[in-house]
Amino acid sequence: MSASAPPVDAGSQDRARRLSETVFRVRELGIVLALLLLIGVTAAIEPRFIHLGSLQDLARNASIYAVMAAGQTLVLVTRNVDLSVGSVLGLSAYISADLLSHGSPMIVAFVLGILVGGACGLLNGFLVTYGRVPALVVTLGTLYAFRGLAFLLTGGAQINAESLPDSFLKIGTGTVLDVPTIAIIALVVVIAVGLALRNFRSGRELYAIGSNEEAARLAGIRTSRRVVAAFVTSGALAGVAGVLFASRFGTVDATAGNGYELTVISAAVVGGVAINGGVGSVYGAALGALLLGCITSALIVLKIDSFWQQAAVGALLLIAIAFDRFIGLRLDAALRQRSAARAA
Amino acid sequence: MSVTTTEIPVLALAGASKSFGAVHALREATLELRAGEVHALMGENGAGKSTLVKMLAGVYRPDEGTVKVDGAAVAFHGPLDARDAGVAIIYQEPTLFPDLSVAENVFMGRQPLASGRRIDRKAMHDQVNELFARLGVELDAERPVRGLSIADQQIVEIAKALSFEARVLIMDEPTAALSGAEVDRLFGVVRTLRERGAALMFISHRLEEVFAICDTVTVMRDGAVTFDGPLAGLTSDDLVRQMVGRDLDALFPKETASVGSQVLKVERLTREGVFTDISFEVRAGEIVALAGLVGAGRSEVARAIFGIDRWDGGSVELLGRPIHNGRPNAAMRAGIGFVPEDRRQQGLVMDLSIARNATMTRTRALAHLGIIRAASERALATEWGTRLQLKYHRLDDPVGRLSGGNQQKVVLAKWLATQPRLLIVDEPTRGIDVGTKAEVHRLISQLAGEGLAVLMISSELPEVLGMADRVLVMHEGRLTGHFTRAEADEERIVRAMSGQTQEVAT
């Protein structure tokens, strides 16, 4: 009985792999198709929808969400969640806008926004890992705490576009070769985080933690450190989003970014990031953000009541989850069947 | 297959002891693993095998004695220390990342890098394919681990062990969940590794596998090593005798009960790929034990009878009336109680009070107009608490605060309150200290004396022999033995458990 005795059907293995690869590609492709369909239908009804200006607006709206969704993906992949990102955005937006209105250089505003966000993320991460409190509870708490802090800082005041330097507002409203500057920034962030998650050990270890934390620990991964890093990155990117928010809208008060966390998590889930960890890509999450932004814009252009927008987002979320579940079950069955066929 | 005893063992245990509270799990155990040798570790459940393995794996540290690597004493502070010393353990249930690819599972945290510290996927896949080639198996490095069979997952674990140059490979019952062809493949891999100079340890209950693959053997009984030496010249009878051969003590206060009419009748029960053609009956006042190795399909048969899992063929009758397939509620109403194997996960709600847990099966009867009064709950719980001699502080305490034995009594109370005709108990005394064990045994035997039909699943042979009126033995999903109390002895049951069926009685 030699080691190579059992005949192995290499063909079925290839098929299993191709199947699983296709599924993951299909997941992102599906969103792209839904996007094109949405744009096509809306444009057919209201041609102005695909004018340059309106598409630029669409990209600008989605950019802020996409940056936050990239950070959220890191956290979700480790089987945690960061609900505080909306409040972090508000905090960072106000602090950076306040600095700029008092004449600080733009780079200082950016760096400080990132630092504020990162510090918020650090607090979340420490409470989750070393405090051993579920992320849902920790970040629900800090969602209110950070928002309260923002109210305390503003004292009810509002910063207006007039007090902000034009060069700063240009980031949010300007274009480079017709592409909105803010979208280019978002794209750079998404690609950078995407590469880190795909091609670096630290990124892969986040997936390992979310997939089987005990096994990750046995493999010698310093799980707490990695989870803290994920929260810090999520916070820092929410900080970046805050600065972008200030430059895009010009008007900042303590309520900036209120409720964004749910949109961001929805975007990630629609984009195929599993809420149970271990699965999903930053690109999917960013596409999800674009799709949600697109729905909002389309409904506005089509003059449909705004509560339909919420219903549409909800329906999309359920469809995405149902789709993932369905595909997951099919994939499981197919993979198991092929293993079994080989063993027999 | 040359065994050169002069060589320094790669990994050894010298006079190691370990106690948990008053229980001596391991007493002065000595074991030596040498390069190019496959060593078998045998013993009944509870003999101390897993304690010994955990010591070599760095999970436990010996109270006395030492672990030696290449003849020098070492102290493992954790599993990672053991891994760095070249010791790899393949557990029965592999610890892998289901969402990640096979290659990533092998190299997680140690992926080969290209320029700029980026992961070199091509190099990673090549290296994994090379490992599989060395092992002589074909497995796709790029597919996700999710959906792989246990056998393939073990191969991934072995490849992982090779990737960090493990010199010692310890496999804890690797064949328990494998099919025949898969076992052959695993043995092929084991032989390849032996030729390459690895030291291997193989834990198995299956005698024929031990003889097929191992060079030396250590047999354990009651925490101590009873035999250690080359396998050559030994027969399976010799091994069985070393494993058993202990007096049945007063742990089993078996009451003689008058066996009444038929309560449970199972006929040709089959669940595809799990168990096949299972027929037996249990009569009132009778304790029937279902013995077998872990993974033989015993719990699965019980789950099917109680309706947790569906069966694909055959029938189950209780008191002459058919039981519905796949409906626990119907089984309960018909008069079946089921004390599951895992009391913490399946038997109890650990955070709820003793009273709530004990009356959980009776909520409908206790409710008046849909409202359950705490007083009636307590009354019922007190009644059963007294009957079962439950030791508790207050009935409102969470059940998790009780000792294992008393928790088991609460589970029993919960089912006895439904006044079942048949009680299925799955590993009734697992994780229970010796004193309370005897109490649980007394209770079960007393219930049978009162006319209850009991189907008991147990992996502990003394329990089976001490308690049962009849013993059924399962092996790989089939009944391989059927003994009356008079016929049953340890050697016969062990033989039937390992699939040697020459003694099947009718």
Side-chain angles (χ1 to χ4, degrees):
Chain A
M1 237 164 272
S2 87
S4 52
V8 175
D9 178 3
S12 79
Q13 288 222 353
D14 274 357
R15 276 202 305 280
R17 180 169 89 214
R18 239 177 282 132
L19 184 78
S20 60
E21 272 177 1
T22 322
V23 165
F24 293 120
R25 234 177 270 133
V26 156
R27 198 61 189 69
E28 277 144 32
L29 211 70
I31 306 169
V32 173
L33 283 179
L35 248 168
L36 292 177
L37 193 74
L38 183 68
I39 292 174
V41 170
T42 314
I45 301 169
E46 179 52 84
R48 272 183 306 168
F49 186 63
I50 46 168
H51 284 182
L52 185 61
S54 119
L55 285 180
Q56 283 173 344
D57 259 353
L58 185 72
R60 286 195 189 97
N61 286 341
S63 294
I64 292 170
Y65 287 124
V67 169
M68 291 166 90
Q72 188 71 244
T73 302
L74 296 182
V75 176
L76 287 175
V77 155
T78 65
R79 207 174 203 165
N80 285 294
V81 68
D82 187 353
L83 289 173
S84 70
V85 287
S87 301
V88 173
L89 181 148
L91 207 55
S92 142
Y94 184 81
I95 289 173
S96 57
D98 191 45
L99 279 173
L100 287 161
S101 68
H102 289 93
S104 288
M106 212 148 57
I107 183 76
V108 174
F110 255 97
V111 168
L112 211 76
I114 293 171
L115 286 180
V116 166
C120 292
L122 191 66
L123 179 66
N124 283 334
F126 264 103
L127 289 175
V128 169
T129 54
Y130 298 103
R132 293 176 192 280
V133 185
L136 189 76
V137 180
V138 166
T139 58
L140 189 63
T142 53
L143 180 156
Y144 290 107
F146 295 153
R147 184 63 69 191
L149 196 60
F151 272 104
L152 234 111
L153 285 177
T154 59
Q158 181 177 328
I159 295 170
N160 293 315
E162 297 90 74
S163 51
L164 295 175
D166 277 349
S167 57
F168 178 67
L169 295 173
K170 259 280 196 282
I171 297 173
T173 52
T175 57
V176 177
L177 301 172
D178 285 341
V179 181
T181 321
I182 192 171
I184 294 173
I185 294 175
L187 201 66
V188 169
V189 167
V190 167
I191 288 174
V193 177
L195 283 177
L197 209 48
R198 192 179 142 67
N199 289 331
F200 288 84
R201 280 183 186 171
S202 47
R204 302 313 296 171
E205 288 175 7
L206 294 183
Y207 284 98
I209 293 166
S211 194
N212 184 346
E213 189 171 1
E214 190 50 40
R217 210 168 286 132
L218 284 177
I221 295 172
R222 280 175 286 198
T223 53
S224 295
R225 187 186 279 204
R226 289 278 169 253
V227 170
V228 169
F231 273 102
V232 169
T233 314
S234 171
L237 289 178
V240 171
V243 183
L244 296 179
F245 181 97
S247 77
R248 161 112 175 87
F249 297 105
T251 314
V252 180
D253 63 16
T255 63
N258 209 357
Y260 273 34
E261 59 280 342
L262 294 184
T263 310
V264 167
I265 294 168
S266 307
V269 171
V270 166
V273 181
I275 206 90
N276 282 334
V279 178
S281 78
V282 171
Y283 310 117
L287 282 169
L290 194 59
L291 182 59
L292 292 191
C294 202
I295 291 175
T296 314
S297 304
L299 293 175
I300 292 170
V301 167
L302 299 174
K303 298 195 180 63
I304 294 171
D305 230 325
S306 72
F307 63 73
W308 281 110
Q309 178 205 327
Q310 302 206 352
V313 171
L316 190 68
L317 207 59
L318 293 179
I319 291 171
I321 291 165
F323 180 80
D324 282 348
R325 183 93 189 106
F326 173 73
I327 287 293
L329 288 176
R330 286 292 297 273
L331 187 65
D332 267 9
L335 288 172
R336 208 174 301 129
Q337 210 175 353
R338 264 144 210 183
S339 296
R342 218 158 42 74
Chain B
M1 215 182 283
S2 63
V3 182
T4 44
T5 39
T6 48
E7 223 178 307
I8 297 171
V10 184
L11 184 67
L13 211 54
S17 300
K18 180 84 187 169
S19 306
F20 300 98
V23 181
H24 297 285
L26 204 61
R27 285 177 296 182
E28 294 188 11
T30 297
L31 179 85
E32 295 183 340
L33 303 180
R34 293 189 174 74
E37 197 177 284
V38 183
H39 193 102
L41 180 61
M42 302 195 74
E44 287 178 46
N45 288 322
K49 291 176 313 225
S50 46
T51 308
L52 190 149
V53 168
K54 283 183 175 159
M55 221 165 255
L56 297 176
V59 178
Y60 294 155
R61 296 184 63 181
D63 297 337
E64 280 166 51
T66 46
V67 178
K68 289 182 181 171
V69 175
D70 294 329
V74 292
F76 291 152
H77 296 282
L80 288 182
D81 284 354
R83 192 182 83 175
D84 291 344
V87 180
I89 319 278
I90 316 277
Y91 293 102
Q92 222 174 11
E93 292 289 322
T95 49
L96 296 172
F97 309 111
D99 300 307
L100 302 182
S101 74
V102 167
E104 279 198 292
N105 267 281
V106 172
F107 277 110
M108 181 49 69
R110 300 171 294 121
Q111 295 99 332
L113 299 179
S115 61
R117 297 191 59 76
R118 292 182 51 175
I119 292 172
D120 188 340
R121 265 167 219 278
K122 189 171 177 316
M124 182 166 77
H125 291 148
D126 288 349
Q127 287 182 30
V128 171
N129 283 329
E130 193 196 319
L131 285 173
F132 287 150
R134 256 167 70 186
L135 292 173
V137 293
E138 281 198 44
L139 204 59
D140 183 351
E142 292 174 54
R143 66 161 279 169
V145 161
R146 188 179 296 280
L148 282 183
S149 66
I150 295 282
D152 284 342
Q153 292 187 34
Q154 283 173 350
I155 296 291
V156 177
E157 288 276 16
I158 292 174
K160 188 159 66 172
L162 285 189
S163 76
F164 56 78
E165 307 291 327
R167 298 176 305 151
V168 181
L169 205 61
I170 298 172
M171 291 183 272
D172 190 357
E173 291 196 52
T175 58
L178 306 194
S179 68
E182 289 170 336
V183 170
D184 290 343
R185 184 178 68 161
L186 181 70
F187 282 4
V189 169
V190 167
R191 289 194 187 95
T192 311
L193 292 172
R194 173 170 64 190
E195 276 155 31
R196 289 172 181 275
L200 295 112
M201 187 161 89
F202 183 78
I203 300 171
S204 179
H205 286 292
R206 299 181 183 171
L207 291 168
E208 75 273 32
E209 287 178 4
V210 168
F211 280 104
I213 193 85
C214 297
D215 309 311
T216 50
V217 62
T218 295
V219 183
M220 295 185 71
R221 189 204 307 157
D222 297 334
V225 172
T226 56
F227 179 83
D228 187 43
L231 196 59
L234 293 179
T235 64
S236 44
D237 286 339
D238 297 334
L239 286 182
V240 170
R241 213 169 297 131
Q242 294 291 347
M243 282 163 65
V244 295
R246 129 166 52 70
D247 299 331
L248 285 186
D249 38 32
L251 270 175
F252 308 100
K254 167 81 181 129
E255 289 181 17
T256 41
S258 54
V259 174
S261 58
Q262 184 187 73
V263 175
L264 176 76
K265 187 177 177 202
V266 177
E267 217 163 49
R268 308 200 66 112
L269 204 65
T270 299
R271 182 173 157 85
E272 301 287 352
V274 185
F275 52 82
T276 312
D277 201 9
I278 304 291
S279 304
F280 64 92
E281 56 163 35
V282 185
R283 294 175 166 274
E286 194 182 33
I287 301 176
V288 174
L290 201 47
L293 300 174
V294 173
R298 299 166 302 160
S299 299
E300 288 74 9
V301 169
R303 288 168 61 90
I305 293 172
F306 192 63
I308 301 168
D309 301 328
R310 298 186 66 84
W311 64 77
D312 299 318
S315 66
V316 178
E317 274 178 23
L318 195 80
L319 301 167
R321 288 168 55 191
I323 296 280
H324 282 286
N325 191 356
R327 282 178 34 202
N329 262 324
M332 256 176 85
R333 244 177 287 131
I336 304 180
F338 182 56
V339 177
E341 182 179 7
D342 186 346
R343 133 181 104 240
R344 303 180 70 85
Q345 296 289 330
Q346 299 163 0
L348 294 167
V349 184
M350 298 308 277
D351 295 330
L352 279 187
S353 72
I354 298 166
R356 285 271 162 81
N357 269 291
T359 58
M360 196 159 275
T361 51
R362 301 292 292 157
T363 47
R364 203 171 288 263
L366 283 175
H368 295 286
L369 301 172
I371 295 167
I372 300 171
R373 287 191 312 129
S376 50
E377 225 174 51
R378 297 172 62 94
L380 184 66
T382 312
E383 182 195 327
W384 281 104
T386 315
R387 280 190 63 180
L388 304 188
Q389 300 179 9
L390 186 68
K391 292 182 192 71
Y392 58 91
H393 182 49
R394 293 181 317 162
L395 279 175
D396 296 333
D397 288 340
V399 78
R401 234 181 258 169
L402 295 176
S403 70
N406 280 299
Q407 286 179 10
Q408 191 66 304
K409 286 187 193 172
V410 176
V411 186
L412 281 168
K414 163 174 137 178
W415 286 107
L416 294 177
T418 65
Q419 297 177 321
R421 302 296 303 271
L422 169 74
L423 189 67
I424 305 175
V425 287
D426 194 351
E427 303 285 1
T429 58
R430 175 172 291 173
I432 292 176
D433 63 274
V434 178
T436 325
K437 243 180 188 172
E439 255 186 88
V440 171
H441 289 144
R442 180 189 54 75
L443 198 66
I444 292 175
S445 142
Q446 184 190 329
L447 289 164
E450 288 167 16
L452 187 71
V454 178
L455 179 63
M456 179 181 79
I457 296 170
S458 176
S459 298
E460 291 187 32
L461 276 184
E463 184 169 274
V464 169
L465 290 168
M467 297 289 297
D469 295 298
R470 278 190 297 128
V471 182
L472 304 172
V473 186
M474 281 184 75
H475 173 74
E476 291 183 354
R478 285 173 188 279
L479 280 178
T480 52
H482 185 170
F483 309 103
T484 63
R485 188 172 174 80
E487 292 168 345
D489 64 35
E490 300 214 20
E491 295 200 26
R492 281 177 163 170
I493 294 178
V494 167
R495 244 181 267 285
M497 276 164 61
S498 54
Q500 298 172 344
T501 56
Q502 69 269 41
E503 280 200 75
V504 179
T506 42

